[in-house]
Amino acid sequence: MKKILSILFSVSISVLSSFGQVSNIQSIINEGVALHDSAQYQKAIEKFKLALKINPNSTLALYEISLSYLELKDYENASKFSTQVINSNDKNLSVGAYAVKSEALAGMKQIDNAITLLQEGLIKNGESYLLHFNIALNYYKKGNTDKTLEHVSRAIELDKTNSGAFLLNAYALRDKGYWVRSIYSFQLFLLLEPDSKRSKNAFEEMLQTMLVNPATEIPVERSFIQQQLMRDTVSRAPQETPPLSPVDGLNRDAIYNAIKRSMDSLKAAKKETDTYLLFTEVNRSILNALQKEKEQGALRSSSFWTFDFPFFKSILDSNHYDTYCRYISVSYFPESLQWWENNKADAKSFIHWFENGEDNSND
């Protein structure tokens, strides 16, 4: 009996010790994550290394340290530690680790290797928004617009809540010459992320695409944030006259003429027309012109006609169009931000309508 009790006591001590060790590692990792989030990456790495001394096989510590090394642009170590996570077959961290390693490879100018790695990640983990978006981003860096659109479209199909994919999609569509579709990809991005620095830049490029603002000699800055990472800047100047030939069932010449008529009418009515009014009215004219196109009865099965256009036309036809325009322009027009702060009842009604498809303006 004494021998059995002794064995049980030893087992209990061992279990408690293991539990305490796990708890201690998690606490250390949490401290490291907090340091990482406050941009103290070197201090965060020290915490993660401490956790790895206790348990060298902690995939969470390995993953977090790879992220911190990536922020420091220490691509060799970011690749080294993310590779260990990939090789561990930890299903919870595998997709993220593939994304980190691909970013490290891209940072070392190995774009093709990064794409190959991400494709391996898709085979291993199945369809993933993050992996498709990273593939699209790397093809974008290579200047392959078709492949960019292929993978960013798949990313959007998998998850319509991530703003970055709509922004990349807008840029790629604009570069491809699909300027009408790009306008509404910009707006989907702005609906999800209305108030960041890149929102202001995106809104400016959208205004140029809509012909509301003239093209500038210095192209609008383009940037991305994916996970915690700031992407490289890519800049391309928009053309003054966009492509007007029909594409994907869309008569771009008709849309262009609708814009010009709207602009001419507004400028004739007022000697000085503010940019916000130009934006709202040109956007209205484009949507109405698209409605006429749709009513011609041609079969239109692309996502633009089945999702984008019906969504934005429903906003135009609702009681919330101006509120919507104010919302997506808060980063660009100071008066839009002021309007939003001064009209909270209208803002609440728009949000309720957007989330539920119902109007509670009488509540």
mmCIF file of all heavy atoms in Angstrom, residues 45 48-49 52-53 55-56 58-70 74-88 93 96-98 100-101 104:
data_model
loop_
_atom_site.group_PDB
_atom_site.id
_atom_site.type_symbol
_atom_site.label_atom_id
_atom_site.label_comp_id
_atom_site.label_asym_id
_atom_site.label_seq_id
_atom_site.Cartn_x
_atom_site.Cartn_y
_atom_site.Cartn_z
ATOM 1 N N ILE A 45 11.049 38.955 -28.927
ATOM 2 C CA ILE A 45 11.861 37.793 -29.301
ATOM 3 C C ILE A 45 12.543 37.191 -28.079
ATOM 4 O O ILE A 45 12.611 35.959 -27.924
ATOM 5 C CB ILE A 45 12.896 38.200 -30.373
ATOM 6 C CG1 ILE A 45 12.185 38.423 -31.714
ATOM 7 C CG2 ILE A 45 13.986 37.135 -30.518
ATOM 8 C CD1 ILE A 45 13.052 39.069 -32.775
ATOM 9 N N PHE A 48 10.005 35.086 -26.319
ATOM 10 C CA PHE A 48 9.724 33.839 -27.032
ATOM 11 C C PHE A 48 10.896 32.858 -26.908
ATOM 12 O O PHE A 48 10.693 31.638 -26.804
ATOM 13 C CB PHE A 48 9.416 34.134 -28.499
ATOM 14 C CG PHE A 48 8.211 35.016 -28.712
ATOM 15 C CD1 PHE A 48 8.237 36.039 -29.644
ATOM 16 C CD2 PHE A 48 7.054 34.819 -27.970
ATOM 17 C CE1 PHE A 48 7.139 36.856 -29.842
ATOM 18 C CE2 PHE A 48 5.942 35.633 -28.158
ATOM 19 C CZ PHE A 48 5.982 36.658 -29.091
ATOM 20 N N LYS A 49 12.115 33.374 -26.893
ATOM 21 C CA LYS A 49 13.288 32.503 -26.711
ATOM 22 C C LYS A 49 13.280 31.879 -25.313
ATOM 23 O O LYS A 49 13.678 30.713 -25.150
ATOM 24 C CB LYS A 49 14.569 33.295 -26.931
ATOM 25 C CG LYS A 49 14.886 33.567 -28.402
ATOM 26 C CD LYS A 49 16.220 34.273 -28.564
ATOM 27 C CE LYS A 49 16.587 34.429 -30.034
ATOM 28 N NZ LYS A 49 17.876 35.127 -30.206
ATOM 29 N N LEU A 52 10.972 29.056 -25.410
ATOM 30 C CA LEU A 52 11.557 27.940 -26.144
ATOM 31 C C LEU A 52 12.635 27.218 -25.336
ATOM 32 O O LEU A 52 12.899 26.034 -25.572
ATOM 33 C CB LEU A 52 12.131 28.425 -27.480
ATOM 34 C CG LEU A 52 11.083 28.806 -28.534
ATOM 35 C CD1 LEU A 52 11.733 29.501 -29.722
ATOM 36 C CD2 LEU A 52 10.319 27.566 -28.996
ATOM 37 N N LYS A 53 13.248 27.907 -24.396
ATOM 38 C CA LYS A 53 14.190 27.229 -23.505
ATOM 39 C C LYS A 53 13.461 26.226 -22.621
ATOM 40 O O LYS A 53 13.970 25.140 -22.307
ATOM 41 C CB LYS A 53 14.921 28.257 -22.631
ATOM 42 C CG LYS A 53 16.063 28.975 -23.341
ATOM 43 C CD LYS A 53 16.800 29.897 -22.380
ATOM 44 C CE LYS A 53 17.951 30.606 -23.082
ATOM 45 N NZ LYS A 53 18.671 31.523 -22.151
ATOM 46 N N ASN A 55 10.431 24.885 -23.428
ATOM 47 C CA ASN A 55 9.912 23.846 -24.319
ATOM 48 C C ASN A 55 10.301 24.184 -25.753
ATOM 49 O O ASN A 55 9.629 24.965 -26.427
ATOM 50 C CB ASN A 55 8.389 23.739 -24.206
ATOM 51 C CG ASN A 55 7.830 22.663 -25.140
ATOM 52 O OD1 ASN A 55 8.572 21.909 -25.765
ATOM 53 N ND2 ASN A 55 6.506 22.609 -25.241
ATOM 54 N N PRO A 56 11.391 23.586 -26.251
ATOM 55 C CA PRO A 56 11.872 23.879 -27.607
ATOM 56 C C PRO A 56 10.869 23.515 -28.698
ATOM 57 O O PRO A 56 11.007 23.965 -29.832
ATOM 58 C CB PRO A 56 13.140 23.020 -27.727
ATOM 59 C CG PRO A 56 13.544 22.737 -26.324
ATOM 60 C CD PRO A 56 12.268 22.646 -25.544
ATOM 61 N N SER A 58 7.543 24.112 -28.577
ATOM 62 C CA SER A 58 6.315 24.910 -28.508
ATOM 63 C C SER A 58 6.071 25.582 -29.858
ATOM 64 O O SER A 58 6.740 26.544 -30.231
ATOM 65 C CB SER A 58 6.425 25.987 -27.417
ATOM 66 O OG SER A 58 5.338 26.889 -27.504
ATOM 67 N N THR A 59 5.106 25.058 -30.617
ATOM 68 C CA THR A 59 4.843 25.608 -31.949
ATOM 69 C C THR A 59 4.322 27.045 -31.870
ATOM 70 O O THR A 59 4.588 27.850 -32.767
ATOM 71 C CB THR A 59 3.832 24.738 -32.715
ATOM 72 O OG1 THR A 59 2.667 24.532 -31.903
ATOM 73 C CG2 THR A 59 4.441 23.400 -33.082
ATOM 74 N N LEU A 60 3.613 27.365 -30.812
ATOM 75 C CA LEU A 60 3.108 28.733 -30.664
ATOM 76 C C LEU A 60 4.268 29.714 -30.487
ATOM 77 O O LEU A 60 4.293 30.786 -31.110
ATOM 78 C CB LEU A 60 2.147 28.831 -29.484
ATOM 79 C CG LEU A 60 1.498 30.212 -29.258
ATOM 80 C CD1 LEU A 60 0.747 30.666 -30.508
ATOM 81 C CD2 LEU A 60 0.582 30.182 -28.047
ATOM 82 N N ALA A 61 5.242 29.352 -29.643
ATOM 83 C CA ALA A 61 6.414 30.210 -29.450
ATOM 84 C C ALA A 61 7.211 30.327 -30.750
ATOM 85 O O ALA A 61 7.696 31.415 -31.104
ATOM 86 C CB ALA A 61 7.291 29.663 -28.337
ATOM 87 N N LEU A 62 7.350 29.216 -31.471
ATOM 88 C CA LEU A 62 8.053 29.228 -32.751
ATOM 89 C C LEU A 62 7.363 30.148 -33.750
ATOM 90 O O LEU A 62 8.010 30.922 -34.468
ATOM 91 C CB LEU A 62 8.134 27.815 -33.326
ATOM 92 C CG LEU A 62 9.026 26.815 -32.577
ATOM 93 C CD1 LEU A 62 8.759 25.399 -33.063
ATOM 94 C CD2 LEU A 62 10.512 27.170 -32.753
ATOM 95 N N TYR A 63 6.033 30.074 -33.794
ATOM 96 C CA TYR A 63 5.266 30.898 -34.725
ATOM 97 C C TYR A 63 5.376 32.386 -34.376
ATOM 98 O O TYR A 63 5.628 33.229 -35.243
ATOM 99 C CB TYR A 63 3.806 30.461 -34.715
ATOM 100 C CG TYR A 63 2.906 31.326 -35.570
ATOM 101 C CD1 TYR A 63 3.027 31.317 -36.961
ATOM 102 C CD2 TYR A 63 1.945 32.148 -34.999
ATOM 103 C CE1 TYR A 63 2.208 32.112 -37.752
ATOM 104 C CE2 TYR A 63 1.119 32.943 -35.776
ATOM 105 C CZ TYR A 63 1.265 32.924 -37.157
ATOM 106 O OH TYR A 63 0.454 33.713 -37.933
ATOM 107 N N GLU A 64 5.216 32.686 -33.099
ATOM 108 C CA GLU A 64 5.259 34.090 -32.678
ATOM 109 C C GLU A 64 6.635 34.699 -32.896
ATOM 110 O O GLU A 64 6.761 35.865 -33.297
ATOM 111 C CB GLU A 64 4.849 34.215 -31.205
ATOM 112 C CG GLU A 64 3.401 33.849 -30.913
ATOM 113 C CD GLU A 64 2.399 34.806 -31.536
ATOM 114 O OE1 GLU A 64 2.810 35.894 -32.009
ATOM 115 O OE2 GLU A 64 1.208 34.473 -31.570
ATOM 116 N N ILE A 65 7.681 33.919 -32.658
ATOM 117 C CA ILE A 65 9.028 34.472 -32.863
ATOM 118 C C ILE A 65 9.281 34.712 -34.348
ATOM 119 O O ILE A 65 9.962 35.669 -34.735
ATOM 120 C CB ILE A 65 10.115 33.549 -32.233
ATOM 121 C CG1 ILE A 65 11.407 34.339 -32.025
ATOM 122 C CG2 ILE A 65 10.392 32.322 -33.091
ATOM 123 C CD1 ILE A 65 12.459 33.569 -31.218
ATOM 124 N N SER A 66 8.701 33.866 -35.214
ATOM 125 C CA SER A 66 8.863 34.074 -36.657
ATOM 126 C C SER A 66 8.196 35.383 -37.090
ATOM 127 O O SER A 66 8.724 36.107 -37.943
ATOM 128 C CB SER A 66 8.277 32.888 -37.437
ATOM 129 O OG SER A 66 6.854 32.878 -37.411
ATOM 130 N N LEU A 67 7.047 35.700 -36.490
ATOM 131 C CA LEU A 67 6.364 36.960 -36.807
ATOM 132 C C LEU A 67 7.206 38.166 -36.393
ATOM 133 O O LEU A 67 7.304 39.157 -37.126
ATOM 134 C CB LEU A 67 5.014 37.017 -36.102
ATOM 135 C CG LEU A 67 3.870 36.195 -36.691
ATOM 136 C CD1 LEU A 67 2.656 36.240 -35.769
ATOM 137 C CD2 LEU A 67 3.495 36.700 -38.078
ATOM 138 N N SER A 68 7.816 38.090 -35.206
ATOM 139 C CA SER A 68 8.631 39.214 -34.733
ATOM 140 C C SER A 68 9.883 39.393 -35.587
ATOM 141 O O SER A 68 10.280 40.521 -35.894
ATOM 142 C CB SER A 68 8.999 39.010 -33.262
ATOM 143 O OG SER A 68 7.863 39.119 -32.435
ATOM 144 N N TYR A 69 10.494 38.287 -35.974
ATOM 145 C CA TYR A 69 11.662 38.400 -36.852
ATOM 146 C C TYR A 69 11.259 39.000 -38.201
ATOM 147 O O TYR A 69 12.021 39.770 -38.818
ATOM 148 C CB TYR A 69 12.315 37.031 -37.062
ATOM 149 C CG TYR A 69 13.324 36.673 -35.994
ATOM 150 C CD1 TYR A 69 13.189 35.506 -35.236
ATOM 151 C CD2 TYR A 69 14.432 37.484 -35.746
ATOM 152 C CE1 TYR A 69 14.112 35.171 -34.251
ATOM 153 C CE2 TYR A 69 15.366 37.164 -34.765
ATOM 154 C CZ TYR A 69 15.200 36.010 -34.029
ATOM 155 O OH TYR A 69 16.119 35.700 -33.054
ATOM 156 N N LEU A 70 10.064 38.644 -38.665
ATOM 157 C CA LEU A 70 9.585 39.190 -39.927
ATOM 158 C C LEU A 70 9.418 40.703 -39.847
ATOM 159 O O LEU A 70 9.773 41.434 -40.777
ATOM 160 C CB LEU A 70 8.254 38.530 -40.302
ATOM 161 C CG LEU A 70 7.763 38.709 -41.736
ATOM 162 C CD1 LEU A 70 8.801 38.206 -42.734
ATOM 163 C CD2 LEU A 70 6.444 37.986 -41.938
ATOM 164 N N ASP A 74 14.282 40.421 -40.510
ATOM 165 C CA ASP A 74 15.287 39.364 -40.390
ATOM 166 C C ASP A 74 14.670 38.129 -41.060
ATOM 167 O O ASP A 74 14.124 37.241 -40.409
ATOM 168 C CB ASP A 74 15.593 39.088 -38.911
ATOM 169 C CG ASP A 74 16.711 38.070 -38.730
ATOM 170 O OD1 ASP A 74 17.002 37.314 -39.683
ATOM 171 O OD2 ASP A 74 17.279 38.000 -37.620
ATOM 172 N N TYR A 75 14.767 38.112 -42.384
ATOM 173 C CA TYR A 75 14.050 37.100 -43.152
ATOM 174 C C TYR A 75 14.601 35.693 -42.959
ATOM 175 O O TYR A 75 13.854 34.714 -43.027
ATOM 176 C CB TYR A 75 14.061 37.484 -44.632
ATOM 177 C CG TYR A 75 13.397 38.811 -44.900
ATOM 178 C CD1 TYR A 75 14.072 39.829 -45.588
ATOM 179 C CD2 TYR A 75 12.104 39.066 -44.458
ATOM 180 C CE1 TYR A 75 13.464 41.056 -45.834
ATOM 181 C CE2 TYR A 75 11.488 40.287 -44.703
ATOM 182 C CZ TYR A 75 12.169 41.268 -45.384
ATOM 183 O OH TYR A 75 11.565 42.485 -45.607
ATOM 184 N N GLU A 76 15.892 35.594 -42.707
ATOM 185 C CA GLU A 76 16.497 34.271 -42.494
ATOM 186 C C GLU A 76 15.877 33.601 -41.269
ATOM 187 O O GLU A 76 15.472 32.437 -41.323
ATOM 188 C CB GLU A 76 18.007 34.414 -42.317
ATOM 189 C CG GLU A 76 18.751 34.848 -43.568
ATOM 190 C CD GLU A 76 18.873 33.727 -44.598
ATOM 191 O OE1 GLU A 76 18.521 32.577 -44.272
ATOM 192 O OE2 GLU A 76 19.317 34.015 -45.729
ATOM 193 N N ASN A 77 15.809 34.321 -40.155
ATOM 194 C CA ASN A 77 15.234 33.739 -38.937
ATOM 195 C C ASN A 77 13.723 33.565 -39.046
ATOM 196 O O ASN A 77 13.164 32.601 -38.516
ATOM 197 C CB ASN A 77 15.584 34.604 -37.731
ATOM 198 C CG ASN A 77 16.923 34.227 -37.121
ATOM 199 O OD1 ASN A 77 17.239 33.055 -36.954
ATOM 200 N ND2 ASN A 77 17.730 35.225 -36.793
ATOM 201 N N ALA A 78 13.062 34.481 -39.728
ATOM 202 C CA ALA A 78 11.615 34.323 -39.930
ATOM 203 C C ALA A 78 11.332 33.045 -40.701
ATOM 204 O O ALA A 78 10.410 32.283 -40.363
ATOM 205 C CB ALA A 78 11.055 35.530 -40.676
ATOM 206 N N SER A 79 12.142 32.787 -41.720
ATOM 207 C CA SER A 79 11.988 31.561 -42.508
ATOM 208 C C SER A 79 12.337 30.325 -41.684
ATOM 209 O O SER A 79 11.630 29.312 -41.719
ATOM 210 C CB SER A 79 12.888 31.635 -43.747
ATOM 211 O OG SER A 79 12.817 30.442 -44.491
ATOM 212 N N LYS A 80 13.402 30.420 -40.909
ATOM 213 C CA LYS A 80 13.861 29.290 -40.093
ATOM 214 C C LYS A 80 12.778 28.836 -39.109
ATOM 215 O O LYS A 80 12.439 27.644 -39.031
ATOM 216 C CB LYS A 80 15.122 29.689 -39.340
ATOM 217 C CG LYS A 80 15.566 28.703 -38.266
ATOM 218 C CD LYS A 80 16.726 29.280 -37.451
ATOM 219 C CE LYS A 80 17.010 28.449 -36.212
ATOM 220 N NZ LYS A 80 18.090 29.041 -35.379
ATOM 221 N N PHE A 81 12.212 29.782 -38.347
ATOM 222 C CA PHE A 81 11.258 29.401 -37.305
ATOM 223 C C PHE A 81 9.889 29.043 -37.887
ATOM 224 O O PHE A 81 9.222 28.140 -37.373
ATOM 225 C CB PHE A 81 11.144 30.524 -36.272
ATOM 226 C CG PHE A 81 12.327 30.609 -35.353
ATOM 227 C CD1 PHE A 81 13.320 31.568 -35.560
ATOM 228 C CD2 PHE A 81 12.475 29.716 -34.306
ATOM 229 C CE1 PHE A 81 14.426 31.641 -34.718
ATOM 230 C CE2 PHE A 81 13.594 29.784 -33.460
ATOM 231 C CZ PHE A 81 14.564 30.746 -33.674
ATOM 232 N N SER A 82 9.483 29.701 -38.954
ATOM 233 C CA SER A 82 8.197 29.333 -39.573
ATOM 234 C C SER A 82 8.294 27.959 -40.233
ATOM 235 O O SER A 82 7.313 27.201 -40.252
ATOM 236 C CB SER A 82 7.770 30.390 -40.597
ATOM 237 O OG SER A 82 8.740 30.571 -41.608
ATOM 238 N N THR A 83 9.477 27.606 -40.735
ATOM 239 C CA THR A 83 9.674 26.264 -41.303
ATOM 240 C C THR A 83 9.473 25.194 -40.237
ATOM 241 O O THR A 83 8.880 24.139 -40.507
ATOM 242 C CB THR A 83 11.085 26.142 -41.912
ATOM 243 O OG1 THR A 83 11.230 27.085 -42.970
ATOM 244 C CG2 THR A 83 11.327 24.729 -42.455
ATOM 245 N N GLN A 84 9.958 25.454 -39.029
ATOM 246 C CA GLN A 84 9.771 24.490 -37.944
ATOM 247 C C GLN A 84 8.279 24.297 -37.628
ATOM 248 O O GLN A 84 7.844 23.183 -37.333
ATOM 249 C CB GLN A 84 10.518 24.952 -36.695
ATOM 250 C CG GLN A 84 12.035 24.920 -36.838
ATOM 251 C CD GLN A 84 12.748 25.359 -35.567
ATOM 252 O OE1 GLN A 84 12.532 24.795 -34.490
ATOM 253 N NE2 GLN A 84 13.592 26.378 -35.680
ATOM 254 N N VAL A 85 7.508 25.381 -37.699
ATOM 255 C CA VAL A 85 6.063 25.267 -37.464
ATOM 256 C C VAL A 85 5.414 24.446 -38.578
ATOM 257 O O VAL A 85 4.582 23.571 -38.326
ATOM 258 C CB VAL A 85 5.406 26.656 -37.374
ATOM 259 C CG1 VAL A 85 3.898 26.510 -37.153
ATOM 260 C CG2 VAL A 85 6.020 27.474 -36.253
ATOM 261 N N ILE A 86 5.814 24.725 -39.827
ATOM 262 C CA ILE A 86 5.276 23.970 -40.964
ATOM 263 C C ILE A 86 5.580 22.484 -40.815
ATOM 264 O O ILE A 86 4.711 21.623 -41.004
ATOM 265 C CB ILE A 86 5.862 24.508 -42.292
ATOM 266 C CG1 ILE A 86 5.300 25.905 -42.579
ATOM 267 C CG2 ILE A 86 5.570 23.555 -43.444
ATOM 268 C CD1 ILE A 86 5.990 26.625 -43.724
ATOM 269 N N ASN A 87 6.806 22.159 -40.437
ATOM 270 C CA ASN A 87 7.215 20.759 -40.303
ATOM 271 C C ASN A 87 6.560 20.063 -39.119
ATOM 272 O O ASN A 87 6.496 18.842 -39.065
ATOM 273 C CB ASN A 87 8.736 20.665 -40.177
ATOM 274 C CG ASN A 87 9.452 21.071 -41.458
ATOM 275 O OD1 ASN A 87 8.852 21.074 -42.535
ATOM 276 N ND2 ASN A 87 10.720 21.429 -41.354
ATOM 277 N N SER A 88 6.061 20.844 -38.155
ATOM 278 C CA SER A 88 5.403 20.248 -36.978
ATOM 279 C C SER A 88 4.020 19.720 -37.286
ATOM 280 O O SER A 88 3.432 18.979 -36.507
ATOM 281 C CB SER A 88 5.298 21.289 -35.865
ATOM 282 O OG SER A 88 4.271 22.235 -36.161
ATOM 283 N N LEU A 93 -1.733 26.341 -36.756
ATOM 284 C CA LEU A 93 -0.771 27.382 -37.099
ATOM 285 C C LEU A 93 -0.166 27.216 -38.496
ATOM 286 O O LEU A 93 0.602 28.065 -38.934
ATOM 287 C CB LEU A 93 0.360 27.405 -36.068
ATOM 288 C CG LEU A 93 -0.055 27.739 -34.628
ATOM 289 C CD1 LEU A 93 1.138 27.585 -33.683
ATOM 290 C CD2 LEU A 93 -0.609 29.158 -34.541
ATOM 291 N N GLY A 96 -0.845 30.123 -41.144
ATOM 292 C CA GLY A 96 -0.097 31.314 -40.767
ATOM 293 C C GLY A 96 1.390 31.154 -40.994
ATOM 294 O O GLY A 96 2.071 32.098 -41.437
ATOM 295 N N ALA A 97 1.910 29.977 -40.700
ATOM 296 C CA ALA A 97 3.347 29.735 -40.884
ATOM 297 C C ALA A 97 3.729 29.777 -42.361
ATOM 298 O O ALA A 97 4.784 30.318 -42.724
ATOM 299 C CB ALA A 97 3.729 28.388 -40.269
ATOM 300 N N TYR A 98 2.872 29.207 -43.212
ATOM 301 C CA TYR A 98 3.129 29.289 -44.658
ATOM 302 C C TYR A 98 3.136 30.749 -45.109
ATOM 303 O O TYR A 98 3.954 31.154 -45.941
ATOM 304 C CB TYR A 98 2.078 28.500 -45.437
ATOM 305 C CG TYR A 98 2.440 27.043 -45.646
ATOM 306 C CD1 TYR A 98 1.868 26.041 -44.866
ATOM 307 C CD2 TYR A 98 3.359 26.670 -46.633
ATOM 308 C CE1 TYR A 98 2.201 24.702 -45.053
ATOM 309 C CE2 TYR A 98 3.694 25.341 -46.834
ATOM 310 C CZ TYR A 98 3.115 24.356 -46.045
ATOM 311 O OH TYR A 98 3.464 23.037 -46.234
ATOM 312 N N VAL A 100 3.905 33.411 -43.275
ATOM 313 C CA VAL A 100 5.116 34.059 -42.770
ATOM 314 C C VAL A 100 6.329 33.658 -43.607
ATOM 315 O O VAL A 100 7.125 34.520 -44.026
ATOM 316 C CB VAL A 100 5.361 33.697 -41.288
ATOM 317 C CG1 VAL A 100 6.731 34.209 -40.836
ATOM 318 C CG2 VAL A 100 4.275 34.305 -40.406
ATOM 319 N N LYS A 101 6.485 32.373 -43.867
ATOM 320 C CA LYS A 101 7.652 31.933 -44.633
ATOM 321 C C LYS A 101 7.625 32.497 -46.050
ATOM 322 O O LYS A 101 8.664 32.911 -46.590
ATOM 323 C CB LYS A 101 7.733 30.407 -44.677
ATOM 324 C CG LYS A 101 9.006 29.928 -45.392
ATOM 325 C CD LYS A 101 9.220 28.434 -45.292
ATOM 326 C CE LYS A 101 10.510 28.035 -46.012
ATOM 327 N NZ LYS A 101 10.779 26.580 -45.914
ATOM 328 N N ALA A 104 8.811 35.947 -45.909
ATOM 329 C CA ALA A 104 10.269 35.985 -45.734
ATOM 330 C C ALA A 104 10.975 35.720 -47.057
ATOM 331 O O ALA A 104 11.948 36.399 -47.402
ATOM 332 C CB ALA A 104 10.689 34.962 -44.683
#
